[in-house]
Amino acid sequence: PGAAPGPGPTAPAPSYEARADPQAEALYLEALGLAQQNEPQKALDALAKARRIDPTSGPIWIETGRAYRRIGEPDEAIAAYRTALQYDPQNAALARELAELEADPTGPSSALANVGREQLEAMVQADPSNPELVRALADVCEKQSDFPAALKWYSRLQDLLVKDIEAQRKIALTYSRLK
């Protein structure tokens, strides 16, 4: 999705290496599809099976970290990203994402700070189950005083993260600005 830097939720899925086991690759691709369908727990299940087959695959560990971020498990995401770095130590973007996550496990990625609305919309279209992208798009819409769009995206965020109190607050605040 898009051209945003970093291996976190804003970056495209890493390519699975050609040397990969076909069964592990199939499970990895299944997990990507499940993530796109907003099924992060099922994606984690497929990724666990893939890791049993190919435990040294950086892309599998990166996607595992992303899935944990999507379900609100930053400690597990950090552990997965650390493991991914063991197998891909030259991945500077992943190292930055990991450092950012460790510094603020609940905060949005700074990689999104300078991304424009059109690019965010394209990224959300490509990865609609990514709460970080949806939150960034909602924030941009709100800053642009496009409150109907902001409300739409904050509501979508709430659907993704039912327990997210901040999203509920933003919905109420944005809705009050509509009136």
Side-chain angles (χ1 to χ4, degrees):
T10 61
S15 297
Y16 200 82
E17 293 87 22
R19 64 165 177 73
D21 177 283
Q23 188 178 7
E25 182 177 12
L27 288 164
Y28 171 78
L29 294 173
E30 176 186 339
L32 291 179
L34 290 165
Q36 288 288 338
Q37 297 168 23
N38 195 25
E39 296 283 355
Q41 190 58 57
K42 289 180 181 178
L44 280 169
D45 295 342
L47 289 163
K49 292 174 186 174
R51 287 192 314 271
R52 283 194 288 277
I53 297 166
D54 188 358
T56 64
S57 168
I60 290 173
W61 283 105
I62 290 169
E63 284 305 312
T64 299
R66 288 179 179 169
Y68 278 123
R69 282 190 87 172
R70 286 188 176 118
I71 64 169
E73 297 288 343
D75 292 338
E76 296 295 333
I78 288 169
Y81 285 162
R82 285 181 181 159
T83 302
L85 273 175
Q86 289 176 356
Y87 302 116
D88 189 4
Q90 303 303 321
N91 192 332
L94 176 59
R96 281 191 307 275
E97 179 72 20
L98 174 60
E100 186 178 288
L101 182 58
E102 288 174 325
D104 185 4
T106 61
S109 170
S110 64
L112 296 175
N114 296 314
V115 177
R117 181 173 174 172
E118 287 182 17
Q119 187 176 4
L120 280 170
E121 287 171 342
M123 293 165 73
V124 168
Q125 184 177 6
D127 191 1
S129 66
N130 186 324
E132 187 173 6
L133 292 175
V134 173
R135 181 187 310 270
L137 180 54
D139 288 346
V140 166
C141 291
E142 184 179 11
K143 286 177 188 167
Q144 293 176 348
S145 297
D146 185 352
F147 301 123
L151 185 59
K152 169 189 166 187
W153 294 114
Y154 285 133
S155 296
R156 172 71 178 134
L157 178 63
Q158 185 178 29
D159 291 344
L160 292 173
L161 303 173
V162 175
K163 62 187 176 191
D164 191 331
I165 301 302
E166 177 64 13
Q168 293 173 359
R169 186 189 72 73
K170 289 277 200 173
I171 288 169
L173 179 63
T174 304
Y175 188 70
S176 71
R177 291 178 177 167
L178 267 174
K179 296 179 178 183

